[in-house]
Every structure is written in C-alpha cells, then in structure tokens.
Amino acid sequence: MSTPLERGVDMLKSQVDARVESYFSSCTHCGVCAEACLFYTETDDPRYTPIYKTEPLRKVWQQNFTLWGKLSTSLGLSKPMTENDLSDWETLVYDGCSMCSRCTMVCPVGIDIAYLIRKVKEGMAAAGFVPEGLQGASERALKFGSPMGLTSKGLLSAVGQQKKEHDIDIPVDVVGAEYLVMLSSNEVVLYTEFLTAISKIFSAAGITWTVSSKYFEATNTGVQMGDSVIAAQLLERLLEVATELKIKTVVSPECGHAYTTFRWDGPNILGRELPFNVVHIMELLDQLRKDGKLKTTGSFDERLTYHDPCNISRRGGVLEQPRNLLNQVAPNFVEMNDKKEMNWCCGGGGGVSSNERAEPLRLQVFNVKKRQLDELDVTTMVTACSNCRTMLEEGLEENEMDIEVVSITELIADHLA
Amino acid sequence: MFEQLVDGIFWNIALIVFFVGVTWRLITVLVLRSKRIDYSVARNSGVSGAIMANIRGFYPRKEVSGRIRLQVIAGYMFHLGFFVVLFFAAPHVKFIAQNITGFTYMTIPYWGFIVASEIAFAGLILLWLHRLLNPVTRLISKRSDHIATILVFVVMLTGCMALGEASSELRVLHRFSVELLMVYFPFSALMHAFMFIPSRAFTGVLLGRRGVNV
C-alpha cells in the first residue's frame, strides 16, 4: 500500500510529457508571468508567481527526468519531495490560481503555465491534498450528479416552476432533438431566468432542443480539482445521455469551464473524439443571428461592458460572438481596457469559487476588476458564465459598487422581436 | 600543455557534449515523449498557431509591457549584443571559417565589437541584478540560473580580454571558458536557446486550434 506522498509523486511523474519537458527546459525564471497574474499583482506576494506554483511538478521532473537531477538525487544533493512540500503548495494551486491562463499569454518562451498547474493538481488530488469544498463538491457530483447536490427531481421541479410562471416550453428527455442543453446548477437554482431565456429564444428560432433529466450538470468538478478519473466518469455520463437521446450537438451553457471541458479538454480526458458537436450558447446564438433566426427589437440603452470569462475567451476562442450579440442590442456597449484573450479573471475560476477557504483572497484580487470598472463608469456588466456572474456580484457587493450583472442570453431574450 | 588540451581534447569533448546533449534533449521532446494526440475538433489551424506563437513571443503584449520593461529591454540588449559578437566579431568569423564552414563572411569593425559587447554586458548585468533584487525572480531563480549567468559573463569577459590577441594565455582562457559553457549548456536553463521553439509551438498549436490569438 503506497503512502499519499508516493501516490502524489507517482502521479506527478506520470504527468511528465513532451510539453512539460519543453516548458521546464525553456523556463529562464524571468518572472514575467507574475505580472499577468491577478493573485500576484493584487497581493504583491511573490509566492503567487504562476511558475512558482508549478514547483512540485518541476521538482519531480528535474529529479527524475534530467541528467543533473538524477545525479544530484543519487548523490543525496537534492532534497526529495516531502508531504510538507505538497501541503504547502495546496493553497497556492487551489486558492491562489484560478487557472485563467493569462500568464500563458505573456510568457516569453510560450509556457502554458495553466497546463502545468493542471498537472500539479493531478498530483495533489492523488496525494489527497484537495480543499474540503472541492472535495465535497466532487463527492456530490458523483453521488447526485451535481456539485450542489441538485438531483433530477430538483431539475424537474425547477423546470415545472419556470413553465408555470412564464408559460414556456422546456423540453425534457426528447429523443432526436437537435440540441441537448446542459446546465450548471447555478442556472437551475440561482439564475433560473437562463432557462426561461433559452426557451424563448429557441422557440422563436424554431429549433428543437431538450434538457436531460438523467444528467444535466455541465460543471465538471473532476477537472476543477485535477482528478482525471472523476472528470472522465462525469464526461461518460454526458456521453451516455447524449447517445440515448440521439443528440448531434451539445450546448454548453453560460459556464466557462464546462465549455472548455466539453469542447476542448473532454475528448483528451476520455482519449477519443466525442460523437457529437459541442457549441457554447454564445456560438449558437450568434449562428442563429447570422442565419436570420434570431431577430431582436429595441435596445438596452444603459452604459454596459462585457466581462470575458477566461475559459470561454482565452481558453475557448469564443471572442467575437458575444460582442456581435451585444452590438445588436446595446448601443452603449464599451470595452474594458484589457479584454478578449487578455481579460482579467473574476478570481473564482479553476474551482476557487467552490473553495470557501479562498474567499478572502478571491475578494482581494477582485480589486483588479474594480479598477477596470471604475475606469468605465458603467451601470451594467454582461457576462457569459454563471460562475463569473456569482463572483462578480459578490465582488461588487463587497466593494459597494452599484453595477448590475446580467447574462447575455437573458439580455438577448429580453429583446426578442 | 594546458593550451594543447584546451585546443585539442577539451575542445573535442566540449563539442561532442554540446551537440549530442542538445540533440538528445530536442529528440526527447520532439520524438520520445510526444505521443499525445489532440482528440478535440480544431476550429483553426494548429500549425499556423505554432508559427504565430513563435513570432508573437518576440515582442511583449501591451497589457503587461509597462510592468516588464526592464526584462524586455535588458533581455534584448543582452541577446542582440551577444549574438552580434558571437557571429560577427572578426576572431569568431575566422574561427568558424577555419573549423566549421570553410569560408568567411562579413565582420563587424573593432568599434562595433566594443559597442555590441558593452550592450551585451549591460543587458546581462541588469538581468542578473533584477534576478537578485526583485522579490519574484529572487524566489523563483535556481542555482543553475546563476551558474549559467556567471559562465556567460566569464566567457564574455575573457573574450574581451583576449580581443587584442596580444597574449596566448588570454585566448586559451577564453576558449576554456567557452568549453565549460558548452559542456554545461545542454543540462541547464541555457537550453532555452533551443527549447523556446517547441515550447512556443506546443502552446501555439493548442491555442491556435481553439481560435485564440497567441
């Protein structure tokens, strides 16, 4: 029976691939990545330097995959990894990194630091160094199907309530529908307007769609905590319902990491191509707009800005679609200074939002968003990720800022022709 | 005796270690551990992403350029000055012609050497001071970063000292320091001189396929 440390180290060793090799071999420790990280810029604590957060993986790579490393380890000149090392790094990678990958964009030698941190998390998860909040969310996701513990009954209840209140159609478990819409628990429990909005839009566009009562959850806690086994188990559930319902296209809701997981990382976690297409709700709405199936009327005249969710823009490549949609209904749309692939994170990505321990730090690093908003003097901020939305609302409340946060889908639905 | 060793066996060993070491490290990345296939359906070309990432990496993003001015300016000063001296200083061109290419090419005048080497020295010293004094770089720097900096500094210093070719000892000293650098190179952070290309390419492919401007 191996110890947690051995499991962690073995997992880290298994994570070393060509990319890890080239990344660590090319790092000159120039420190540029720190200047792009909100956890460093807002705290001035050098421990939050992104490349520093990858130290456990670098150490394992250096000691086991390099000539000098092997030599110095065998001569006892290099200290082996200890449980304390992993324990010390737990807060750095889970509390002090939202996996926003802004650091990746500025690295002079092109290191995808977020990729390395994701691998560090694999080692942490194998060794059992995962924050309680994330661990709990993951257990609930496996047991009930949702990190918030929301069951199929809960979904059906929310669907029934929305139908009754708004006199709309929300198809459930429809075999052969064009689109399967996944939802984050946030959108079922907190932002129920989202369901109403997509129902109105899809009905107006004349497309067939459904939600699945068997498995509706878009959030993948396995990805957030860095456990590929759990991530794969949750993805298999999606594959199962999509196959049962004969779905050709899965729609990722307003959830950043769900989109990246389904669209980009999921096939690689599973090790095979997905048997359906994946689109983000912004992509679908923009396509409907282009096809003339999404027509709007009137305008939202308040001065507003758009917050790019990192996983949708920087890691997902959905950059222009939300802007196309906003330009259709919001004449006073203004951009933040750093936007699109260089946006600043809300602070709650990568599982930070599920990690209660990280809350004070998360609210501290929100200062960067506050400064961005102060420059613009807007009354409304629009976004396309429900997790960002919650984080932004909490940050705004903490800073007593009178700015409303709105979902793009809801904004569009409010202006349907 | 020492001169013969430096010009003979030491040089041959350094050459072999350098070329075999660098080649092995690159093969390790490009062939041995590159088994991964991306199963996601690409939105854009990964190849153009790799090319763009390699070009894009040469200039800083405007969103952070104000915060990294010293690293960028000093970095360019050192690298440009160093490469000008390495490839265009008259003694180097002569050495390359005699030992590698068999032909000579354009050289920089003496004053050009002085200017280029001073720029390189200034850049290297600034980068090193930054490494030592800045809390971030002080925390993340490794012993190998400092060894590499010291070796490069010594190579440049002995090179300047040997420039007049007035003393054979100085030339031998310079060549010996170069040999030390060459032996250390494949096993150190100096490998970034080659590794930055696959590193940028890997990230460029990933983001390029997703339709993100690297």
Side-chain angles (χ1 to χ4, degrees):
Chain A
M1 190 68 182
S2 56
T3 64
L5 174 67
E6 286 166 345
R7 284 197 295 276
V9 171
D10 287 345
M11 179 57 81
L12 288 171
K13 278 186 199 170
S14 74
Q15 297 300 309
V16 175
D17 58 14
R19 288 178 67 185
V20 172
E21 174 83 24
S22 72
Y23 289 159
F24 282 135
S25 299
S26 53
C27 182
T28 59
H29 305 110
C30 65
V32 166
C33 54
E35 307 301 340
C37 174
L38 72 168
F39 288 91
Y40 171 70
T41 60
E42 303 312 304
T43 64
D44 274 334
D45 184 345
R47 281 168 47 86
Y48 290 122
T49 300
I51 198 69
Y52 188 66
K53 296 169 196 166
T54 70
E55 192 61 16
L57 181 61
R58 193 206 64 82
K59 197 168 182 177
V60 163
W61 165 79
Q62 202 259 339
Q63 291 183 346
N64 296 279
F65 296 87
T66 68
L67 186 68
W68 285 145
K70 284 180 191 171
L71 198 65
S72 58
T73 306
S74 62
L75 293 173
L77 300 172
S78 184
K79 286 183 192 166
M81 180 89 74
T82 64
E83 274 198 34
N84 277 347
D85 288 335
L86 292 180
S87 165
D88 286 349
W89 256 261
E90 184 195 316
T91 49
L92 287 185
V93 295
Y94 286 109
D95 302 19
C97 175
S98 58
M99 305 283 287
C100 80
S101 74
R102 201 168 185 266
C103 49
T104 296
M105 306 304 286
V106 304
C107 175
V109 291
I111 301 174
D112 184 359
I113 302 171
Y115 176 81
L116 296 178
I117 291 176
R118 172 76 176 74
K119 284 177 172 290
V120 173
K121 285 187 172 185
E122 289 279 349
M124 292 291 183
F129 290 102
V130 176
E132 243 176 68
L134 260 180
Q135 187 71 51
S138 191
E139 283 161 12
R140 287 191 293 276
L142 287 173
K143 191 172 177 185
F144 304 109
S146 128
M148 288 169 81
L150 190 70
T151 60
S152 295
K153 278 184 187 170
L155 171 77
L156 292 173
S157 162
V159 165
Q161 201 175 341
Q162 290 295 303
K163 278 180 170 178
K164 213 182 282 176
E165 278 179 21
H166 301 283
D167 191 25
I168 52 168
D169 182 32
I170 301 174
V172 179
D173 298 331
V174 177
V175 178
E178 287 172 82
Y179 299 97
L180 169 65
V181 177
M182 301 301 285
L183 300 163
S184 67
S185 296
N186 256 351
E187 286 156 339
V188 182
V189 176
L190 201 59
Y191 305 122
T192 48
E193 311 87 346
F194 178 76
L195 258 177
T196 310
I198 54 171
S199 169
K200 284 181 183 170
I201 293 169
F202 290 170
S203 171
I207 61 173
T208 60
W209 65 291
T210 188
V211 292
S212 163
S213 65
K214 192 170 169 184
Y215 186 64
F216 60 89
E217 181 61 58
T219 310
N220 191 313
T221 46
V223 169
Q224 288 178 326
M225 66 191 270
D227 189 322
S228 289
V229 176
I230 294 175
Q233 282 177 2
L234 296 173
L235 279 164
E236 290 289 1
R237 292 185 189 179
L238 165 66
L239 257 70
E240 196 183 312
V241 295
T243 307
E244 277 175 15
L245 297 174
K246 296 179 180 152
I247 297 296
K248 290 197 179 92
T249 304
V250 169
V251 181
S252 167
E254 291 195 352
C255 176
H257 100 270
Y259 174 65
T260 313
T261 303
F262 292 158
R263 178 69 175 86
W264 301 112
D265 296 333
N268 295 314
I269 291 168
L270 293 171
R272 60 185 191 272
E273 284 185 24
L274 300 181
F276 46 75
N277 298 318
V278 175
V279 293
H280 187 262
I281 184 74
M282 289 300 101
E283 290 180 286
L284 178 56
L285 296 190
D286 193 41
Q287 191 57 50
L288 293 174
R289 179 191 66 82
K290 282 181 191 160
D291 295 343
K293 291 180 178 174
L294 175 57
K295 293 191 175 110
T296 56
T297 182
S299 61
F300 182 84
D301 295 326
E302 298 281 323
R303 188 173 163 84
L304 65 78
T305 190
Y306 176 64
H307 165 80
D308 280 285
C310 308
N311 273 309
I312 293 170
S313 54
R314 184 160 42 242
R315 288 306 268 200
V318 180
L319 297 152
E320 299 305 328
Q321 294 89 336
R323 290 171 169 81
N324 294 341
L325 292 163
L326 280 175
N327 283 328
Q328 187 158 314
V329 295
N332 293 314
F333 164 44
V334 287
E335 292 274 17
M336 290 190 223
N337 54 5
D338 292 351
K339 57 186 180 293
K340 296 184 177 176
E341 70 273 8
M342 282 306 287
N343 74 305
W344 286 98
C345 179
C346 66
V352 175
S353 60
S354 307
N355 178 2
E356 288 159 24
R357 184 184 65 197
E359 190 177 315
L361 179 61
R362 174 168 62 76
L363 290 170
Q364 184 183 352
V365 302
F366 184 80
N367 276 338
V368 69
K369 191 58 65 182
K370 179 181 184 303
R371 282 199 301 276
Q372 282 193 294
L373 291 169
D374 285 345
E375 284 171 13
L376 291 180
D377 192 26
V378 292
T379 59
T380 307
M381 177 160 44
V382 183
T383 191
C385 168
S386 64
N387 188 54
C388 288
R389 188 175 174 182
T390 310
M391 297 301 101
L392 294 168
E393 284 175 349
E394 287 183 16
L396 292 169
E397 193 181 324
E398 176 76 9
N399 289 282
E400 297 176 354
M401 296 169 78
D402 190 18
I403 294 174
E404 190 185 6
V405 187
V406 177
S407 125
I408 290 198
T409 309
E410 289 165 35
L411 188 69
I412 295 295
D414 287 345
H415 293 85
L416 277 178
Chain B
M1 175 66 180
F2 184 64
E3 185 174 351
Q4 282 173 333
L5 286 172
V6 168
D7 287 341
I9 187 76
F10 285 2
W11 172 250
N12 291 333
I13 290 171
L15 261 184
I16 291 167
V17 171
F18 179 81
F19 281 110
V20 172
V22 168
T23 308
W24 174 251
R25 294 292 307 278
L26 288 172
I27 286 174
T28 305
V29 165
L30 298 176
V31 182
L32 298 182
R33 293 190 199 143
S34 281
K35 294 172 192 161
R36 195 182 166 90
I37 299 165
D38 195 329
Y39 292 101
S40 63
V41 180
R43 182 181 281 135
N44 285 345
S45 161
V47 175
S48 66
I51 296 166
M52 284 310 296
N54 263 290
I55 298 167
R56 187 69 186 76
F58 284 114
Y59 55 100
R61 286 190 172 268
K62 66 176 170 49
E63 290 86 352
V64 292
S65 57
R67 297 178 66 99
I68 58 170
R69 211 167 278 140
L70 187 139
Q71 291 103 306
V72 173
I73 294 171
Y76 267 106
M77 282 170 67
F78 164 67
H79 284 95
L80 290 177
F82 184 82
F83 284 123
V84 166
V85 171
L86 177 63
F87 293 114
F88 298 104
H92 292 163
V93 173
K94 191 174 153 193
F95 180 86
I96 291 168
Q98 282 172 352
N99 293 281
I100 303 170
T101 58
F103 59 86
T104 59
Y105 52 88
M106 183 192 84
T107 59
I108 46 167
Y110 182 79
W111 65 264
F113 177 94
I114 298 297
V115 170
S117 56
E118 282 184 0
I119 288 173
F121 267 119
L124 185 64
I125 291 166
L126 280 172
L127 287 174
W128 200 9
L129 285 174
H130 183 262
R131 190 177 288 291
L132 293 169
L133 301 176
N134 181 279
V136 167
T137 43
R138 197 167 57 227
L139 178 73
I140 63 177
S141 291
K142 307 292 169 204
R143 195 169 40 207
S144 69
D145 296 316
H146 297 292
I147 295 172
T149 308
I150 291 166
L151 274 174
V152 171
F153 186 85
V154 169
V155 165
M156 285 166 51
L157 186 66
T158 55
C160 286
M161 286 158 63
L163 181 64
E165 297 184 52
S167 149
S168 176
E169 285 79 7
L170 289 175
R171 183 195 64 80
V172 171
L173 191 63
H174 177 54
R175 192 155 169 181
F176 182 62
S177 66
V178 170
E179 287 163 4
L180 287 179
L181 185 73
M182 286 168 73
V183 170
Y184 189 64
F185 192 102
F187 313 104
S188 70
L190 292 166
M191 268 304 287
H192 78 272
F194 294 100
M195 285 292 195
F196 82 90
I197 298 169
S199 175
R200 285 181 188 172
F202 278 127
T203 302
V205 168
L206 179 113
L207 295 178
R209 293 178 86 258
R210 298 179 182 198
V212 178
N213 294 323
V214 185

